[in-house]
Amino acid sequence: MRKIIYQKCIELTNRAWLSNLIRQFTKSKISKIIIPFFVKIYKIDMSEFEYPYNEYTTLHELFIRKLKKGTRLIDSNINTVISPVDATIESAGSIEPSTDIKVKGKMYSLKEMLGNDEKAVQYRDGYFIVLYLSPKHYHRIHSPVNGKVISRWELGDRSYPVNRLGLEYGKNPLAKNYRSISEINHKTGKMALVKVGAMFVNSIEYTNGSMNLKKGEEIAYFSFGSTVVLLFEKDTFLIDERISVPHPVKMGEVIGHLVKK
């Protein structure tokens, strides 16, 4: 019953007109009134960022705030994979031979997530990591590896929540929501960086047009909270032994290691 009520409530609010209205508000000057309350409610440590909260003129500007230089250290080892975002690792594990992944007790099809059976098959028996960004988190996305973008595409038009309740009770948000996907060739194979839009403000903006990526280099940002899913091919990645879920991470921290097939 709880699941049904949750889904019905989300369906009532998951409308394009409402998303557009909220997006317009967050970019309006009047939204500045909310900033002090937003910072307090979500306990955002503004000392890490370029400006104090009262220098941001809209809520959107606060959402996409930049870090002070030197705030995050990027691990330089060529064999490591870093977290592309500040987030909580909500789920991680092996990709099934059927190309499904299990997140919060629900099975997700990579074919549906990636929109293509051929793409999904490439990650059969590989590894996945789900990183959730709450509204309090730094919203910019960085490259987890040194590599080259070989393809990029967009799918979906929903904006279901991607928080813990959304992953548990929602209607497959990782495979239904708007998402922008990049495939990257790296040192030992290929990976997919799946950027999943969140409830209401379904926006992912690219800030880097280069196809050649350096680990830690900024590539895009989310508006509001969201989720990143990392997919690795079979026998190309090992998660760091210190990580158990749920696990908070900062952008630049080591989350795993590249290995040869």
Side-chain angles (χ1 to χ4, degrees), residues 186-218:
H186 56 76
K187 184 173 178 284
T188 63
K190 184 190 301 179
M191 68 168 293
L193 177 63
V194 185
K195 300 163 287 292
V196 184
M199 190 177 182
F200 299 137
V201 188
N202 221 352
S203 177
I204 300 165
E205 301 291 337
Y206 282 91
T207 59
N208 186 343
S210 175
M211 295 294 104
N212 295 304
L213 299 177
K214 183 179 178 181
K215 184 165 53 173
E217 184 177 22
E218 184 185 309

Side-chain angles (χ1 to χ4, degrees), residues 95 98-103 106-117 120 172 174-176 179 231:
I95 299 169
S98 60
T99 68
D100 291 335
I101 62 175
K102 189 174 184 179
V103 181
K106 295 178 64 174
M107 299 303 292
Y108 285 87
S109 163
L110 290 194
K111 177 182 178 180
E112 189 173 12
M113 182 185 294
L114 300 178
N116 185 295
D117 187 53
N172 295 344
L174 300 183
K176 298 291 187 183
R179 52 207 182 277
L231 305 174

Side-chain angles (χ1 to χ4, degrees), residues 142-228:
H142 299 248
S143 180
V145 294
N146 294 320
K148 182 176 182 180
V149 177
I150 55 174
S151 59
R152 181 181 289 162
W153 67 99
E154 298 178 348
L155 295 166
D157 59 0
R158 300 287 86 189
S159 56
Y160 297 113
V162 288
N163 57 15
R164 290 177 185 177
L165 284 176
L167 292 176
E168 186 173 356
Y169 296 125
K171 293 185 176 180
N172 295 344
L174 300 183
K176 298 291 187 183
N177 280 20
Y178 168 72
R179 52 207 182 277
S180 181
I181 304 159
S182 303
E183 276 198 310
I184 304 170
N185 265 344
H186 56 76
K187 184 173 178 284
T188 63
K190 184 190 301 179
M191 68 168 293
L193 177 63
V194 185
K195 300 163 287 292
V196 184
M199 190 177 182
F200 299 137
V201 188
N202 221 352
S203 177
I204 300 165
E205 301 291 337
Y206 282 91
T207 59
N208 186 343
S210 175
M211 295 294 104
N212 295 304
L213 299 177
K214 183 179 178 181
K215 184 165 53 173
E217 184 177 22
E218 184 185 309
I219 55 178
Y221 65 75
F222 287 118
S223 294
F224 213 61
S226 203
T227 288
V228 169

Side-chain angles (χ1 to χ4, degrees), residues 5-235:
I5 293 172
Y6 179 86
Q7 290 180 346
K8 292 298 183 183
C9 289
I10 295 303
E11 286 295 338
L12 287 173
T13 57
N14 188 12
R15 296 290 183 268
W17 67 268
L18 183 57
S19 293
N20 290 333
L21 186 64
I22 293 172
R23 188 179 298 112
Q24 290 173 21
F25 172 74
T26 63
K27 293 184 177 181
S28 70
K29 299 297 182 182
I30 196 172
S31 68
K32 183 176 181 179
I33 298 170
I34 294 177
I35 290 177
F37 303 101
F38 188 90
V39 171
K40 184 177 180 179
I41 289 169
Y42 288 105
K43 299 178 181 178
I44 301 173
D45 180 6
M46 294 302 299
S47 68
E48 296 183 320
F49 300 99
E50 282 186 318
Y51 308 113
Y53 72 83
N54 58 357
E55 291 192 24
Y56 294 94
T57 61
T58 68
L59 197 55
H60 176 71
E61 284 187 4
L62 181 73
F63 288 158
I64 64 171
R65 60 194 179 273
K66 291 185 176 182
L67 294 164
K68 289 178 181 177
K69 289 185 178 179
T71 303
R72 298 285 185 273
L73 297 177
I74 308 300
D75 187 86
S76 60
N77 189 312
I78 61 173
N79 294 315
T80 59
V81 177
I82 63 165
S83 176
V85 289
D86 284 12
T88 299
I89 297 179
E90 289 288 354
S91 188
S94 298
I95 299 169
E96 301 290 330
S98 60
T99 68
D100 291 335
I101 62 175
K102 189 174 184 179
V103 181
K104 297 295 179 182
K106 295 178 64 174
M107 299 303 292
Y108 285 87
S109 163
L110 290 194
K111 177 182 178 180
E112 189 173 12
M113 182 185 294
L114 300 178
N116 185 295
D117 187 53
E118 185 178 341
K119 294 284 189 185
V121 168
Q122 294 173 359
Y123 297 98
R124 178 182 290 158
D125 294 318
Y127 202 88
F128 77 92
I129 300 176
V130 178
L131 300 112
Y132 167 64
L133 292 77
S134 76
K136 73 177 181 181
H137 281 120
Y138 168 62
H139 281 38
R140 292 181 179 261
I141 310 161
H142 299 248
S143 180
V145 294
N146 294 320
K148 182 176 182 180
V149 177
I150 55 174
S151 59
R152 181 181 289 162
W153 67 99
E154 298 178 348
L155 295 166
D157 59 0
R158 300 287 86 189
S159 56
Y160 297 113
V162 288
N163 57 15
R164 290 177 185 177
L165 284 176
L167 292 176
E168 186 173 356
Y169 296 125
K171 293 185 176 180
N172 295 344
L174 300 183
K176 298 291 187 183
N177 280 20
Y178 168 72
R179 52 207 182 277
S180 181
I181 304 159
S182 303
E183 276 198 310
I184 304 170
N185 265 344
H186 56 76
K187 184 173 178 284
T188 63
K190 184 190 301 179
M191 68 168 293
L193 177 63
V194 185
K195 300 163 287 292
V196 184
M199 190 177 182
F200 299 137
V201 188
N202 221 352
S203 177
I204 300 165
E205 301 291 337
Y206 282 91
T207 59
N208 186 343
S210 175
M211 295 294 104
N212 295 304
L213 299 177
K214 183 179 178 181
K215 184 165 53 173
E217 184 177 22
E218 184 185 309
I219 55 178
Y221 65 75
F222 287 118
S223 294
F224 213 61
S226 203
T227 288
V228 169
V229 183
L230 303 179
L231 305 174
F232 297 90
E233 290 181 296
K234 180 181 180 181
D235 298 331

